[in-house]
Amino acid sequence: MDLSKRITGLTGDGDDGWGIFIKARQMKAAGKPVLELTIGEHDDRTEQIILDKMHASASGGHTGYAMVPGTDALRETVAKRIEERTGVRTTPANIMITPGGQSALFASHAAVCDHGDTAMYIDPYYATYPGTIRGVGAVPLPVQARSRNDFQPDIADLEAAITPGVKSLMINSPNNPTGVVYSRETLEGLADFAKKHDLWLISDEVYDTQIWEGEHISPRALPDMKERTLVIGSMSKSHAMTGSRIGWVCGPEAVVANLITLATHTTYGVAGFIQDAAKFALEQGETFEEKVAAPFRRRREIARELLQGQNSVKLIPAGGAMYLMLDIRATGLSGEDFAEGLLEQELIAVMPGESFGAASAGHIRVAMTIPDDQFKDAFARLIKFAADK
């Protein structure tokens, strides 16, 4: 018996770029001292005070079915957080709690795209984007941002790419994989494009607490965008709660009401004790979030210092997130060949730019996710590896 084309075709013809990551893990399992700069996993794990709250909630009995849209308390806390940070009126009715940001991305596309509709997104992109779109039966349409423009999307490229049947545009700022923070000019252009073509805008903002330069602007806060924007949030990056799998969608009340119906037939909500821990974590405020983000700010500065005085590796301006995008085209290698060679020769694992779309070919993504001293050593060896090519 055959499996569905939907499930077997999620990743298209490849592995969505996970090959180097899988190989590095296999090498580590075999006892090799691989330094992993691949995925966005904090080296400092979830704070003990959050785990203590989670444990107390579970021990206190919050282990049964939680309300499908999320607990009233957490929805209220998330809504308050968003309103305070954006100035846009937000209520619990605008919030749907999900099992992580990935689930929120899937639910958002399921809400706005019918089978056969087209969903646009910016290339470079997080590796799951095209599979998420295929998973709801829609057709993925990447539009390349360009390295020479520091990967800020160009509205002219979007206009050239749009076709009949496009229903949505997904953006991500601060951006994974590039670390780029979209400028106000870029976001206003994207908002105008969405309004002109009557598109839903899906804004992945899971790195909104990791801003090193510039400002984070949610497109939901731009004029006439509240009713056509779905914002994705998550506790994973802001509070180092990756394994807890808790995020949200913020959008118009009518959309959220239908997302609740979707969750009733799919995830059936998120564990109550995890929601209680998430509420507690959010209540710790911006100082706590800055503490979680601080290692990545430090390591960005370490990398910038090491890159001075050489021309083998160029840093794409990294205004936010826990990643650095490096242009290694001066070496004459593709991102895939560079990553393969670096892993084999130096036992350092990075993600090839090709993992994130055609626009970042000839680049690599470095996750700043190991302790400072190890990161400094690995990054220096990476630069030397490039210089020797």
Side-chain angles (χ1 to χ4, degrees):
M1 296 172 62
D2 294 331
L3 295 174
S4 72
K5 293 180 179 178
R6 176 174 294 179
I7 196 71
T8 58
L10 282 180
T11 60
D13 296 327
D15 59 9
D16 269 7
W18 295 105
I20 289 286
F21 167 74
I22 293 169
K23 183 176 181 179
R25 283 291 169 94
Q26 291 171 341
M27 292 170 69
K28 286 190 73 172
K32 294 185 177 182
V34 174
L35 292 174
E36 288 190 271
L37 305 176
T38 48
I39 62 172
E41 180 76 83
H42 305 67
D43 49 308
D44 293 330
R45 299 300 174 143
T46 307
E47 286 276 355
Q48 189 61 46
I49 57 171
I50 298 174
L51 298 176
D52 289 344
K53 183 66 177 181
M54 193 182 297
H55 176 75
S57 176
S59 297
H62 205 176
T63 56
Y65 291 124
M67 293 296 290
V68 170
T71 65
D72 291 343
L74 180 56
R75 294 173 80 195
E76 177 68 39
T77 301
V78 172
K80 181 180 178 182
R81 177 185 192 268
I82 292 172
E83 182 169 324
E84 288 177 347
R85 296 186 180 207
T86 65
V88 180
R89 174 66 175 156
T90 308
T91 73
N94 297 120
I95 306 299
M96 170 72 190
I97 304 300
T98 62
Q102 182 60 50
S103 175
L105 288 169
F106 183 90
S108 296
H109 282 90
V112 303
C113 292
D114 282 318
H115 183 83
D117 285 341
T118 300
M120 301 178 83
Y121 58 102
I122 306 300
D123 174 355
Y125 52 84
Y126 176 52
T128 68
Y129 281 4
T132 299
I133 292 167
R134 294 185 193 105
V136 303
V139 179
L141 177 59
V143 180
Q144 290 188 22
R146 304 178 191 280
S147 180
R148 65 174 179 267
N149 297 330
D150 295 334
F151 290 115
Q152 295 277 340
D154 188 325
I155 305 306
D157 292 330
L158 289 164
E159 290 286 2
I162 195 167
T163 61
V166 173
K167 293 291 291 296
S168 64
L169 169 64
M170 177 164 49
I171 65 173
N172 173 214
S173 175
N175 183 261
N176 176 12
T178 65
V180 169
V181 175
Y182 290 175
S183 68
R184 178 174 290 275
E185 180 183 9
T186 293
L187 287 166
E188 289 176 345
L190 292 168
D192 289 343
F193 175 80
K195 287 183 285 189
K196 175 182 177 180
H197 296 283
D198 195 22
L199 305 179
W200 287 95
L201 187 64
I202 299 174
S203 181
D204 181 351
E205 301 181 22
V206 302
Y207 295 97
D208 66 345
T209 63
Q210 297 178 5
I211 302 290
W212 324 132
E213 293 181 6
E215 62 176 332
H216 171 66
I217 301 169
S218 176
R220 181 171 177 264
L222 296 176
D224 302 318
M225 288 301 294
K226 180 181 176 181
E227 295 305 313
R228 68 170 65 249
T229 303
L230 302 178
V231 175
I232 310 302
S234 171
M235 301 296 293
S236 291
K237 310 304 181 181
S238 59
H239 293 77
M241 294 178 67
T242 52
S244 296
R245 309 311 306 132
I246 185 159
W248 57 81
V249 179
C250 174
E253 291 185 15
V255 177
V256 171
N258 282 280
L259 289 177
I260 295 169
T261 302
L262 175 66
T264 301
H265 292 85
T266 52
T267 65
Y268 210 75
V270 178
F273 58 89
I274 293 178
Q275 295 194 59
D276 289 344
K279 175 180 180 294
F280 173 80
L282 289 171
E283 289 171 342
Q284 303 313 297
E286 292 187 14
T287 300
F288 183 90
E289 293 171 1
E290 290 169 0
K291 177 184 175 182
V292 174
F296 311 119
R297 183 187 292 274
R298 289 197 310 270
R299 291 163 198 167
R300 171 180 176 266
E301 292 308 310
I302 290 171
R304 291 174 70 179
E305 290 178 9
L306 290 171
L307 287 167
Q308 292 179 6
Q310 59 82 50
N311 54 17
S312 299
V313 177
K314 175 188 174 184
L315 175 65
I316 300 300
M322 57 175 67
Y323 313 104
L324 302 173
M325 179 66 88
L326 303 178
D327 184 340
I328 49 85
R329 287 177 290 182
T331 68
L333 298 175
S334 68
E336 291 176 346
D337 288 341
F338 188 98
E340 284 280 357
L342 187 67
L343 180 58
E344 290 293 337
Q345 183 174 318
E346 296 292 335
L347 298 181
I348 298 170
V350 299
M351 294 293 282
E354 291 84 356
S355 301
F356 308 103
S360 49
H363 296 67
I364 58 171
R365 188 194 76 174
V366 175
M368 300 181 285
T369 50
I370 57 177
D372 293 11
D373 56 342
Q374 294 182 32
F375 179 78
K376 184 175 183 178
D377 173 67
F379 205 83
R381 287 159 55 197
L382 182 156
I383 294 171
K384 185 177 186 306
F385 176 83
D388 290 342
K389 296 302 168 184

